[in-house]
Short mmCIF file of all heavy atoms in Angstrom, two decimals:
data_model
loop_
_atom_site.label_atom_id
_atom_site.label_comp_id
_atom_site.label_asym_id
_atom_site.label_seq_id
_atom_site.Cartn_x
_atom_site.Cartn_y
_atom_site.Cartn_z
N HIS A 712 0.84 -1.19 0.00
CA HIS A 712 0.00 0.00 0.00
C HIS A 712 0.87 1.23 0.00
O HIS A 712 1.98 1.24 0.55
CB HIS A 712 -0.89 0.03 1.25
CG HIS A 712 -2.15 -0.73 1.05
ND1 HIS A 712 -3.28 -0.15 0.57
CD2 HIS A 712 -2.44 -2.03 1.25
CE1 HIS A 712 -4.23 -1.04 0.49
NE2 HIS A 712 -3.74 -2.18 0.91
N ALA A 713 0.37 2.27 -0.58
CA ALA A 713 1.02 3.56 -0.46
C ALA A 713 0.71 4.13 0.91
O ALA A 713 -0.04 3.57 1.69
CB ALA A 713 0.51 4.51 -1.55
N SER A 714 1.33 5.30 1.20
CA SER A 714 1.15 5.90 2.52
C SER A 714 -0.28 6.30 2.78
O SER A 714 -0.69 6.45 3.92
CB SER A 714 2.04 7.14 2.65
OG SER A 714 1.72 8.06 1.62
N ASP A 715 -1.10 6.52 1.76
CA ASP A 715 -2.49 6.90 1.95
C ASP A 715 -3.40 5.71 2.14
O ASP A 715 -4.61 5.85 2.26
CB ASP A 715 -2.99 7.74 0.78
CG ASP A 715 -2.95 6.97 -0.53
OD1 ASP A 715 -2.40 5.86 -0.54
OD2 ASP A 715 -3.49 7.48 -1.52
N GLY A 716 -2.86 4.48 2.16
CA GLY A 716 -3.64 3.29 2.46
C GLY A 716 -4.26 2.64 1.26
O GLY A 716 -4.88 1.59 1.37
N ARG A 717 -4.14 3.19 0.07
CA ARG A 717 -4.72 2.57 -1.12
C ARG A 717 -3.73 1.59 -1.72
O ARG A 717 -2.53 1.77 -1.64
CB ARG A 717 -5.10 3.63 -2.15
CG ARG A 717 -6.24 4.52 -1.68
CD ARG A 717 -6.72 5.38 -2.83
NE ARG A 717 -7.27 4.56 -3.89
CZ ARG A 717 -8.51 4.11 -3.89
NH1 ARG A 717 -9.32 4.39 -2.91
NH2 ARG A 717 -8.96 3.39 -4.91
N LEU A 718 -4.25 0.57 -2.34
CA LEU A 718 -3.42 -0.50 -2.87
C LEU A 718 -2.66 0.00 -4.08
O LEU A 718 -3.22 0.55 -5.01
CB LEU A 718 -4.32 -1.67 -3.27
CG LEU A 718 -3.60 -2.95 -3.70
CD1 LEU A 718 -2.83 -3.51 -2.55
CD2 LEU A 718 -4.61 -3.95 -4.23
N GLN A 719 -1.34 -0.16 -4.06
CA GLN A 719 -0.50 0.21 -5.18
C GLN A 719 -0.36 -0.97 -6.13
O GLN A 719 -0.48 -2.13 -5.75
CB GLN A 719 0.90 0.63 -4.68
CG GLN A 719 0.88 1.90 -3.84
CD GLN A 719 0.66 3.12 -4.69
OE1 GLN A 719 0.86 3.06 -5.90
NE2 GLN A 719 0.22 4.20 -4.09
N SER A 720 -0.05 -0.68 -7.39
CA SER A 720 0.18 -1.74 -8.36
C SER A 720 1.50 -2.41 -8.09
O SER A 720 2.48 -1.78 -7.67
CB SER A 720 0.18 -1.15 -9.78
OG SER A 720 -1.07 -0.55 -10.04
N ALA A 721 1.58 -3.71 -8.36
CA ALA A 721 2.82 -4.45 -8.13
C ALA A 721 3.84 -4.05 -9.17
O ALA A 721 3.52 -3.66 -10.29
CB ALA A 721 2.55 -5.95 -8.21
N ALA A 722 5.12 -4.17 -8.80
CA ALA A 722 6.18 -3.89 -9.75
C ALA A 722 6.12 -4.92 -10.87
O ALA A 722 6.12 -6.12 -10.61
CB ALA A 722 7.53 -3.96 -9.05
N PRO A 723 6.02 -4.49 -12.11
CA PRO A 723 5.83 -5.46 -13.20
C PRO A 723 7.09 -6.24 -13.49
O PRO A 723 8.19 -5.71 -13.48
CB PRO A 723 5.43 -4.58 -14.38
CG PRO A 723 6.08 -3.27 -14.09
CD PRO A 723 6.09 -3.12 -12.61
N GLY A 724 6.91 -7.50 -13.79
CA GLY A 724 8.01 -8.29 -14.30
C GLY A 724 8.06 -8.18 -15.81
O GLY A 724 7.39 -7.38 -16.43
N ALA A 725 8.81 -9.01 -16.43
CA ALA A 725 8.89 -8.97 -17.89
C ALA A 725 7.65 -9.59 -18.48
O ALA A 725 7.27 -10.69 -18.13
CB ALA A 725 10.13 -9.72 -18.36
N ALA A 726 6.97 -8.87 -19.34
CA ALA A 726 5.76 -9.39 -19.97
C ALA A 726 6.13 -10.15 -21.22
O ALA A 726 7.25 -10.11 -21.71
CB ALA A 726 4.81 -8.24 -20.29
N GLN A 727 5.11 -10.86 -21.72
CA GLN A 727 5.35 -11.58 -22.96
C GLN A 727 5.59 -10.56 -24.06
O GLN A 727 4.91 -9.57 -24.18
CB GLN A 727 4.13 -12.43 -23.30
CG GLN A 727 3.88 -13.55 -22.30
CD GLN A 727 2.69 -14.36 -22.69
OE1 GLN A 727 2.04 -14.06 -23.68
NE2 GLN A 727 2.43 -15.40 -21.92
N GLY A 728 6.60 -10.84 -24.85
CA GLY A 728 6.92 -9.96 -25.97
C GLY A 728 7.94 -8.90 -25.62
O GLY A 728 8.28 -8.10 -26.47
N GLU A 729 8.43 -8.85 -24.34
CA GLU A 729 9.44 -7.86 -24.01
C GLU A 729 10.78 -8.29 -24.62
O GLU A 729 11.11 -9.48 -24.72
CB GLU A 729 9.59 -7.76 -22.49
CG GLU A 729 8.48 -6.98 -21.81
CD GLU A 729 8.81 -6.78 -20.35
OE1 GLU A 729 9.51 -7.64 -19.79
OE2 GLU A 729 8.38 -5.78 -19.79
N ARG A 730 11.54 -7.29 -24.93
CA ARG A 730 12.87 -7.58 -25.45
C ARG A 730 13.79 -7.92 -24.30
O ARG A 730 13.79 -7.25 -23.27
CB ARG A 730 13.40 -6.37 -26.21
CG ARG A 730 12.66 -6.10 -27.51
CD ARG A 730 13.17 -4.85 -28.16
NE ARG A 730 12.91 -3.69 -27.31
CZ ARG A 730 13.34 -2.46 -27.60
NH1 ARG A 730 14.07 -2.26 -28.69
NH2 ARG A 730 13.04 -1.45 -26.81
N PRO A 731 14.68 -8.92 -24.45
CA PRO A 731 15.59 -9.27 -23.36
C PRO A 731 16.60 -8.16 -23.15
O PRO A 731 17.05 -7.51 -24.08
CB PRO A 731 16.25 -10.57 -23.83
CG PRO A 731 16.14 -10.53 -25.32
CD PRO A 731 14.85 -9.82 -25.63
N ALA A 732 16.97 -7.98 -21.87
CA ALA A 732 17.97 -6.96 -21.55
C ALA A 732 19.35 -7.47 -21.95
O ALA A 732 19.63 -8.67 -21.92
CB ALA A 732 17.94 -6.66 -20.06
N PRO A 733 20.25 -6.58 -22.33
CA PRO A 733 21.61 -7.02 -22.65
C PRO A 733 22.30 -7.59 -21.44
O PRO A 733 21.97 -7.32 -20.31
CB PRO A 733 22.27 -5.72 -23.14
CG PRO A 733 21.42 -4.62 -22.61
CD PRO A 733 20.06 -5.16 -22.55
N ALA A 734 23.31 -8.42 -21.72
CA ALA A 734 24.02 -9.10 -20.64
C ALA A 734 24.69 -8.09 -19.71
O ALA A 734 24.84 -8.33 -18.53
CB ALA A 734 25.06 -10.07 -21.20
N ALA A 735 25.13 -6.98 -20.25
CA ALA A 735 25.79 -5.99 -19.41
C ALA A 735 24.88 -5.45 -18.34
O ALA A 735 25.31 -5.01 -17.31
CB ALA A 735 26.33 -4.85 -20.28
N ALA A 736 23.54 -5.47 -18.64
CA ALA A 736 22.60 -4.93 -17.66
C ALA A 736 22.61 -5.76 -16.40
O ALA A 736 22.60 -5.26 -15.29
CB ALA A 736 21.20 -4.89 -18.27
N ALA A 737 22.57 -7.10 -16.53
CA ALA A 737 22.57 -7.98 -15.37
C ALA A 737 23.86 -7.80 -14.60
O ALA A 737 23.86 -7.75 -13.37
CB ALA A 737 22.40 -9.42 -15.81
N GLY A 738 24.99 -7.71 -15.29
CA GLY A 738 26.25 -7.52 -14.58
C GLY A 738 26.28 -6.20 -13.86
O GLY A 738 26.81 -6.10 -12.75
N LYS A 739 25.70 -5.18 -14.47
CA LYS A 739 25.65 -3.89 -13.82
C LYS A 739 24.84 -3.93 -12.55
O LYS A 739 25.18 -3.36 -11.52
CB LYS A 739 25.05 -2.89 -14.79
CG LYS A 739 24.98 -1.46 -14.27
CD LYS A 739 26.33 -0.82 -14.17
CE LYS A 739 26.23 0.65 -13.75
NZ LYS A 739 27.53 1.29 -13.64
N ALA A 740 23.65 -4.65 -12.63
CA ALA A 740 22.78 -4.72 -11.46
C ALA A 740 23.44 -5.48 -10.34
O ALA A 740 23.26 -5.17 -9.18
CB ALA A 740 21.45 -5.39 -11.84
#
C-alpha cells in the first residue's frame, strides 16, 4: 500500500513480448 492506504500496483516483471535486456545490464545490477 502507499502511505495513503490505497493498494499500489505491483512492480511489473517482464511481460510476454518484451525484449531481453543485454548481458551488461545484469552484470551492472
Side-chain angles (χ1 to χ4, degrees):
H712 273 270
S714 58
D715 62 351
R717 293 190 64 84
L718 187 65
Q719 295 286 341
S720 300
Q727 294 181 359
E729 283 187 331
R730 291 177 296 175
K739 182 71 175 180

